[in-house]
Amino acid sequence: MCFSATASFSAAIVLTVIGAGAIKKVQHRSQTMFALIPFIFAIQQFSEGLLWLSIPNEKWSYLQTSITYFYLIIAQIIWPVWVPVAILLLEKEQTRKNTQRILVAIGMLVSMYLTYCLFHFNIRSEIDCYHIAYIQTYPEEFRVMGGLLYIIATILPPFFSHIRRMWWLGVMVLISYVVTTVFYESYLVSVWCFFASVISLSVYLIMSEIRTSHREETYHRKTMKQILKKSYESSRI
């Protein structure tokens, strides 16, 4: 499998369309962060498309560092917080909310650590074997623990959601992570984000389920109100 500027730009276009569809499904502001996930992935993929163009082109070389930082800010700082918070906002059950809050706290911890690393250690990007490699000189002693906490913050939240289809998202992202780790370990940041962005189609399906559930709940509430109203009127007679 080869990746390229064309693949990144194409993914960005598709994700924008999916994001537009997901936003149309929003019925409450608590759903907005979750529905915006495809849009953020679209921005991320578009930025990597620009990176594909800037790395080999000397005229665009001045953009390379800025785009590299921009991409990694989304991948390593925004996602560990955005994903658990977005799913927490959708949660209705108190016990599950408490679990999601713990995952949010873990995500914030990871995000703060990676923010420190991103701006205190050298990073660069380069094209290698049809992939973009992000070279990050982060402390080795925290690499394994940091990676584990990142996975916990970004993959586990869907498994603790009350929404039926949410676990699909968790399973697919987990599978994509395993596949990327096994076959593309040197390009984990780039390839996993690409796979995860494609999986954003699940966000649209989940938003469809949320909208359907909301309509059913609204219908049941109206029905119950009508029944209670009729009962009250009958009792007065």
Side-chain angles (χ1 to χ4, degrees):
M1 182 186 294
C2 297
F3 298 94
S4 61
T6 301
S8 293
F9 287 134
S10 298
I13 293 171
V14 172
L15 288 165
T16 300
V17 174
I18 293 173
I23 287 295
K24 288 183 179 179
K25 301 288 185 181
V26 171
Q27 294 181 305
H28 190 274
R29 61 183 181 181
S30 62
Q31 303 166 5
T32 304
M33 279 189 72
F34 187 77
L36 283 173
I37 287 176
F39 274 125
I40 300 177
F41 270 126
I43 294 170
Q44 189 175 12
Q45 289 303 310
F46 184 80
S47 68
E48 192 163 59
L50 294 178
L51 200 54
W52 276 102
L53 298 178
S54 67
I55 292 176
N57 193 330
E58 292 184 0
K59 294 182 180 179
W60 287 31
S61 60
Y62 68 96
L63 290 173
Q64 183 181 340
T65 300
S66 298
I67 298 173
T68 299
Y69 272 95
F70 181 78
Y71 183 91
L72 290 176
I73 285 171
I74 296 176
Q76 298 185 338
I77 298 176
I78 292 178
W79 283 131
V81 177
W82 192 283
V83 172
V85 170
I87 295 177
L88 169 62
L89 291 175
L90 297 176
E91 194 53 60
K92 296 180 179 179
E93 300 176 12
Q94 190 58 46
T95 302
R96 293 177 185 270
K97 277 186 176 183
N98 293 335
T99 303
Q100 298 288 9
R101 288 190 181 103
I102 293 173
L103 296 175
V104 169
I106 293 173
M108 292 176 67
L109 188 65
V110 172
S111 181
M112 288 187 290
Y113 170 70
L114 291 176
T115 298
Y116 172 81
C117 289
L118 192 60
F119 293 101
H120 285 81
F121 297 95
N122 294 325
I123 66 166
R124 72 179 192 277
S125 57
E126 59 184 37
I127 296 175
D128 181 29
C129 298
Y130 302 102
H131 304 292
I132 291 182
Y134 294 91
I135 314 301
Q136 304 163 82
T137 59
Y138 296 175
E140 284 293 333
E141 58 267 29
F142 295 109
R143 186 177 295 274
V144 175
M145 180 58 69
L148 179 61
L149 292 177
Y150 184 97
I151 293 168
I152 290 173
T154 55
I155 295 180
L156 285 189
F159 292 104
F160 292 95
S161 174
H162 76 283
I163 300 170
R164 288 172 295 179
R165 290 185 180 177
M166 189 68 78
W167 69 272
W168 294 2
L169 179 62
V171 168
M172 287 188 286
V173 174
L174 177 60
I175 291 173
S176 69
Y177 177 80
V178 172
V179 170
T180 305
T181 302
V182 173
F183 296 103
Y184 304 99
E185 183 179 4
S186 299
Y187 319 102
L188 179 62
V189 175
S190 177
V191 178
W192 186 33
C193 284
F194 181 86
F195 283 152
S197 67
V198 174
I199 291 169
S200 287
L201 177 60
S202 300
V203 173
Y204 176 82
L205 297 176
I206 292 167
M207 288 301 301
S208 297
E209 179 184 331
I210 292 172
R211 185 171 185 176
T212 300
S213 298
H214 184 268
R215 285 179 174 176
E216 291 176 352
E217 289 176 3
T218 302
Y219 173 77
H220 287 310
R221 282 198 299 269
K222 287 182 178 179
T223 303
M224 287 302 298
K225 285 182 179 179
Q226 290 174 353
I227 292 173
L228 291 172
K229 184 178 180 181
K230 289 180 180 179
S231 298
Y232 176 72
E233 291 175 348
S234 297
S235 63
R236 291 187 65 185
I237 295 172

